[in-house]
Amino acid sequence: GEQVEQRPPHLSVPEGDSAVIICTYTDSATAYFYWYKQEPGAGLQLLMSVFSNVDRKEEQGLTVLLNKKDKQLSLNLTAAHPGDSAVYFCAVSGGNNNNRIFFGDGTQLVVKP
Amino acid sequence: EAAVTQSPRNKVAVTGGKVTLSCNQTNNHNNMYWYRQDTGHGLRLIHYSYGAGSTEKGDIPDGYKASRPSQENFSLILELATPSQTSVYFCASGDAGGADSDYTFGSGTRLLVI
């Protein structure tokens, strides 16, 4: 089945710097891609979703890049601020296991003031 | 507002006891999911459902049962709770497919088995 690897597991950046999180997946039929944010004690909040016909999507300081050739998905937080500190998860779905969503193991991001 | 609501938010159970975690969604999604989240493991799928009356095993189903009596409700049942089932449990609803595919998560249930 689908395997999703996410890196790095921990990331610390100064305020104002960018933070990049990368995921790779294995199923070439995967069609939908997601980034979630989890704050302490809370559930997962959807940040952005991307369909496979999109290579780049930008919203509110976040940039998602999709490289289908290399089966790689990335999230770039430009000009990170302390409120961005959280755990971020990538997720994919719509491949050969059409009813399932597969998650990376998460990245703990700390943005230092 | 469409949402996924889990109950209880916190639960302490004794080893060998029965625990039922409840989930309700107002998204009208066909699919519902139960995950557990442990440090170092991310989210692991326990059971899921395609619709009322259906339950499917996920990646770590042992020790858990699930019940989907209606479109809106999906329960996770621990018949004989063990300390290894101490975790945070998340319910989600979603429908794969289409440009607006989305999965909505509940706020989680913290379970401590002593």
Side-chain angles (χ1 to χ4, degrees), chain B residues 33-106:
Chain B
Y33 308 83
W34 275 106
Y35 296 88
R36 63 178 284 176
Q37 186 177 32
D38 304 287
T39 303
H41 288 284
L43 287 160
R44 292 186 289 175
L45 182 65
I46 306 169
H47 284 288
Y48 60 105
S49 169
Y50 295 134
S54 103
T55 61
E56 305 290 334
K57 293 181 179 179
D59 298 323
I60 53 163
D62 293 346
Y64 302 93
K65 293 183 180 178
S67 173
R68 183 87 181 270
S70 65
Q71 178 83 340
E72 298 80 16
N73 295 294
F74 190 37
S75 298
L76 185 68
I77 303 153
L78 292 67
E79 294 279 3
L80 295 169
T82 68
S84 66
Q85 293 175 312
T86 293
S87 187
V88 181
Y89 291 85
F90 287 99
C91 176
S93 73
D95 280 328
D100 294 325
S101 295
D102 190 9
Y103 292 78
T104 307
F105 284 81

Side-chain angles (χ1 to χ4, degrees), chain A residues 35-81:
Chain A
W35 284 100
Y36 287 87
K37 176 182 181 182
Q38 185 181 32
E39 297 181 336
L44 277 68
Q45 173 194 359
L46 180 67
L47 289 177
M48 292 179 70
S49 60
V50 175
F51 186 49
S52 61
N53 64 349
V54 172
D55 294 329
R56 181 187 182 100
K57 186 174 181 179
E58 295 184 41
E59 283 183 3
Q60 297 179 331
L62 303 174
T63 301
V64 171
L65 298 178
L66 178 60
N67 181 336
K68 292 182 287 294
K69 173 177 173 290
D70 294 333
K71 300 190 191 70
Q72 182 170 288
L73 174 73
S74 68
L75 175 68
N76 187 338
L77 291 82
T78 54
H81 56 85

Side-chain angles (χ1 to χ4, degrees), chain B residues 14-33:
Chain B
V14 296
T15 298
K18 182 177 181 179
V19 177
T20 300
L21 307 183
S22 300
C23 180
N24 175 275
Q25 58 115 348
T26 57
N27 301 321
N28 199 32
H29 284 149
N30 289 323
N31 302 336
M32 296 186 74
Y33 308 83

